[in-house]
Amino acid sequence: MRVVLFGAIVVASILVAYFMTTESQNKKHLRVIQPNQIIEPGVVPNDLKHVSMGHRVGDFSFQNQYNETVTLDNVKGKVFVVEYFFTTCGTICPRMTQQMMRVQERFKGNDDVKILSFTVNPEIDTVEVMKEYADGHGAVKDQWHFLTGEKEKLYDLARRSFFVLKPAEAQNLGDAGSDFIHTNNFVLVDQQLRIRNYYDGTSMTSVDELMEDIQVLLDEEK
């Protein structure tokens, strides 16, 4: 009887270990992206090119579509997605906005997921203009922030925190014009303000992966 009981315990232990190992292997792990890992020419400022650990999104303070001040404190401890766009763009921005609407719909009502859409053209994209654009695309208050402010500060954040302003020869720039350019990238940032990945905001397949990765980060905190 003892032999049988011992055998049953051994078998049960093996099965538990097997399923735990299989589950662990099936879980996706997202790397933390550091400045020195970004190979896109011209994106990372020279003084940050050799940073290999510890990069975090820097402080910011901008106005959203409700003329409310949104700062880094509003997204600390949250998973958030970042894009740079402008409301008068007629090429890639509409496609990016449609894809971001899918992200919002997937996590609608989840206070642990935020979306930050920064303008690259604050001269045109005032609070009032951003409100009209946000309303026209179903942005949920307190979840999807359309942010405007001083151009220099918007650009500095893009260059030094998110690394999303590409050189002029980059592809898929859209209606850049004047002295600003923007990218089709969506940036995924985790609860510790670390960049975890970049995604093509014009691609449904890439945004599907983004939504899966958001869930991975949410599950990691459980």
Side-chain angles (χ1 to χ4, degrees), residues 28 38 90 110 112 138 142 170 173 180 187 192-193 198 206 212 217 221:
K28 184 175 183 180
I38 298 174
N110 189 333
D112 291 325
D142 295 328
L173 291 179
F180 64 83
V187 188
Q192 287 77 48
L193 306 176
Y198 293 88
S206 187
E212 292 174 3
L217 295 181
E221 292 295 301

Coordinates of all heavy atoms in Angstrom, one line a residue, residues 28 38 90 110 112 138 142 170 173 180 187 192-193 198 206 212 217 221:
K28 N 5.1 34.4 -22.9 CA 6.0 35.3 -23.6 C 6.7 36.3 -22.7 O 6.2 36.8 -21.7 CB 5.2 36.1 -24.6 CG 6.0 37.0 -25.6 CD 5.1 37.7 -26.6 CE 5.9 38.5 -27.5 NZ 5.0 39.2 -28.6
I38 N 18.9 50.3 -29.9 CA 18.1 50.9 -31.0 C 19.1 51.2 -32.1 O 20.0 52.0 -32.0 CB 17.4 52.1 -30.5 CG1 16.4 51.7 -29.4 CG2 16.6 52.8 -31.7 CD1 15.7 52.9 -28.8
G90 N -2.9 63.6 -43.5 CA -3.8 62.9 -44.4 C -3.4 61.5 -44.8 O -4.1 60.9 -45.6
N110 N -10.3 49.6 -18.5 CA -9.2 49.1 -17.6 C -8.3 50.3 -17.3 O -7.5 50.8 -18.1 CB -8.4 48.1 -18.4 CG -7.4 47.3 -17.5 OD1 -6.9 47.9 -16.5 ND2 -7.0 46.1 -17.9
D112 N -5.6 50.4 -15.7 CA -4.2 50.1 -15.8 C -3.6 50.2 -17.2 O -2.4 50.0 -17.4 CB -4.0 48.7 -15.3 CG -4.2 48.5 -13.8 OD1 -3.9 49.5 -13.0 OD2 -4.7 47.5 -13.3
G138 N -13.9 58.8 -30.7 CA -14.4 58.0 -29.6 C -13.4 57.8 -28.4 O -13.5 56.8 -27.7
D142 N -9.9 60.1 -19.6 CA -9.0 59.5 -18.6 C -8.3 58.2 -19.1 O -7.4 57.7 -18.4 CB -9.6 59.2 -17.3 CG -10.1 60.5 -16.6 OD1 -9.5 61.6 -16.8 OD2 -11.2 60.5 -16.0
A170 N 13.8 58.8 -43.4 CA 13.0 57.6 -42.9 C 11.8 57.5 -43.8 O 11.2 58.4 -44.3 CB 12.7 57.7 -41.5
L173 N 6.8 58.7 -43.4 CA 6.7 59.9 -42.5 C 5.4 60.6 -42.6 O 5.0 61.4 -41.7 CB 7.8 60.9 -42.9 CG 9.2 60.5 -42.6 CD1 10.2 61.6 -43.1 CD2 9.4 60.3 -41.1
F180 N 9.1 69.6 -38.8 CA 8.9 68.4 -38.0 C 8.6 67.2 -38.8 O 8.1 67.2 -39.9 CB 7.7 68.7 -37.0 CG 6.4 68.9 -37.6 CD1 5.6 67.8 -38.0 CD2 5.9 70.2 -37.9 CE1 4.3 68.0 -38.6 CE2 4.7 70.4 -38.5 CZ 3.9 69.3 -38.9
V187 N 4.7 53.0 -29.2 CA 5.7 52.6 -28.2 C 5.0 52.0 -27.0 O 4.1 52.6 -26.5 CB 6.6 53.8 -27.8 CG1 7.7 53.3 -26.9 CG2 7.1 54.5 -29.0
Q192 N 7.0 50.3 -14.9 CA 8.2 50.9 -14.4 C 8.8 51.9 -15.3 O 9.9 52.3 -15.2 CB 9.2 49.8 -14.1 CG 8.9 48.9 -12.9 CD 7.8 47.9 -13.2 OE1 7.9 47.2 -14.2 NE2 6.8 47.8 -12.4
L193 N 8.0 52.4 -16.3 CA 8.4 53.4 -17.2 C 9.5 53.0 -18.2 O 10.3 53.8 -18.6 CB 8.8 54.7 -16.5 CG 7.7 55.2 -15.5 CD1 8.3 56.5 -14.7 CD2 6.4 55.6 -16.2
Y198 N 8.4 48.3 -29.9 CA 7.9 49.2 -30.9 C 7.0 48.4 -31.8 O 7.3 47.3 -32.2 CB 9.0 49.9 -31.6 CG 9.9 50.8 -30.8 CD1 11.0 50.4 -30.1 CD2 9.6 52.2 -30.7 CE1 11.8 51.2 -29.3 CE2 10.3 53.1 -29.9 CZ 11.4 52.6 -29.3 OH 12.2 53.4 -28.5
S206 N 0.7 44.0 -36.6 CA 1.6 44.5 -35.6 C 0.8 45.0 -34.3 O 1.3 44.8 -33.2 CB 2.4 45.7 -36.1 OG 3.4 46.1 -35.2
E212 N -1.5 41.9 -27.5 CA -1.1 40.7 -26.8 C 0.0 41.0 -25.7 O 0.0 40.5 -24.6 CB -0.6 39.7 -27.8 CG -1.7 39.1 -28.7 CD -1.1 38.2 -29.7 OE1 0.2 38.0 -29.7 OE2 -1.8 37.7 -30.6
L217 N 2.1 42.2 -20.0 CA 2.6 43.1 -19.0 C 1.6 43.2 -17.8 O 2.0 43.2 -16.7 CB 2.9 44.5 -19.5 CG 4.0 44.6 -20.5 CD1 4.2 46.0 -21.0 CD2 5.3 44.1 -20.0
E221 N 2.0 41.6 -13.5 CA 1.8 42.3 -12.2 C 0.9 41.5 -11.3 O 0.7 41.9 -10.1 CB 1.2 43.7 -12.5 CG 2.2 44.6 -13.2 CD 3.4 44.9 -12.3 OE1 3.2 45.5 -11.2 OE2 4.6 44.6 -12.8

